[in-house]
Amino acid sequence: MTRDPMISIELLLDEISENAVRAEWDALAAAGLSSLAAHTAPSNRPHVTLLVRSALEHLDVDALATRAAFEVRLGAPVLFGDGDRRVLARSVIPSSALLALHDDVHSAAGPGDEAPHTAPGAWTPHVTLARRVRLQDLERSLPLVGEELIGTARALRRWDAATRTITELARLR
């Protein structure tokens, strides 16, 4: 799988949860640390990535459109990567509803060139707070991540990095 172009299917949170994550982005930025607050494009919203591919020829949106909203729990910080920099994220505690949605998104998309980190059985659900956080900054970064946050899954969207477009796929009832 190539890095660009990339298409992803993302789960969006309710407004209160999204604002809480943005407050963490802002706290990191205010402390002079790496943060997604610096990325001001309208597409930059707190989300849980469900699927990533270099191409997505088919997605049965009808199979996803009737889903009910469900609780999403953002937990402790988690780090991804290696070397002297990491991605800092909030873990998302897997629930049966979240895992079912993940499976359904992959079924609706059919076979494809999965990014290993979103493939069923290898996926670690999370909401990214910062990229390229220096290891030496972790001691200052981690206390800026709040306690467990309970929110609601509200919508699904498609992000196409090649065209820089967002398409709303479904609002969860």
Side-chain angles (χ1 to χ4, degrees):
M1 170 164 198
T2 60
R3 288 190 65 93
D4 266 337
M6 172 201 74
I7 296 170
S8 61
I9 305 300
E10 302 167 345
L11 176 65
L12 300 178
L13 305 172
D14 63 279
E15 186 177 354
I16 293 170
S17 301
E18 183 172 315
N19 288 340
V21 172
R22 287 182 183 277
E24 292 177 346
W25 291 356
D26 291 343
L28 289 163
L33 300 164
S34 179
S35 168
L36 285 185
H39 179 32
T40 58
S43 62
N44 188 37
R45 290 180 66 181
H47 65 273
V48 180
T49 302
L50 301 168
L51 176 141
V52 174
R53 293 187 178 171
S54 63
L56 185 57
E57 303 302 323
H58 169 78
L59 183 68
D60 183 2
V61 177
D62 292 339
L64 304 172
T66 60
R67 299 195 72 87
F70 59 90
E71 181 178 279
V72 176
R73 289 178 175 262
L74 278 62
V78 62
L79 300 171
F80 297 103
D82 54 24
D84 67 340
R85 294 184 184 247
R86 299 287 194 278
V87 171
L88 173 62
R90 280 285 212 124
S91 62
V92 174
I93 300 166
S95 65
S96 58
L98 180 61
L99 294 173
L101 175 62
H102 183 252
D103 286 344
D104 289 350
V105 165
H106 285 264
S107 293
D113 64 337
E114 292 303 320
H117 68 281
T118 63
W123 179 55
T124 303
H126 65 278
V127 174
T128 302
L129 302 175
R131 293 188 175 92
R132 301 189 46 76
V133 176
R134 290 182 177 93
L135 290 178
Q136 66 212 37
D137 291 336
L138 286 176
E139 188 174 341
R140 292 188 312 132
S141 300
L142 293 175
L144 300 175
V145 179
E147 298 296 317
E148 181 179 83
L149 174 64
I150 300 172
T152 305
R154 286 293 179 207
L156 294 171
R157 73 177 186 176
R158 173 187 169 131
W159 162 243
D160 186 325
T163 61
R164 304 187 86 55
T165 56
I166 297 168
T167 305
E168 184 175 296
L169 300 175
R171 286 245 168 234
L172 306 184
R173 330 174 245 108

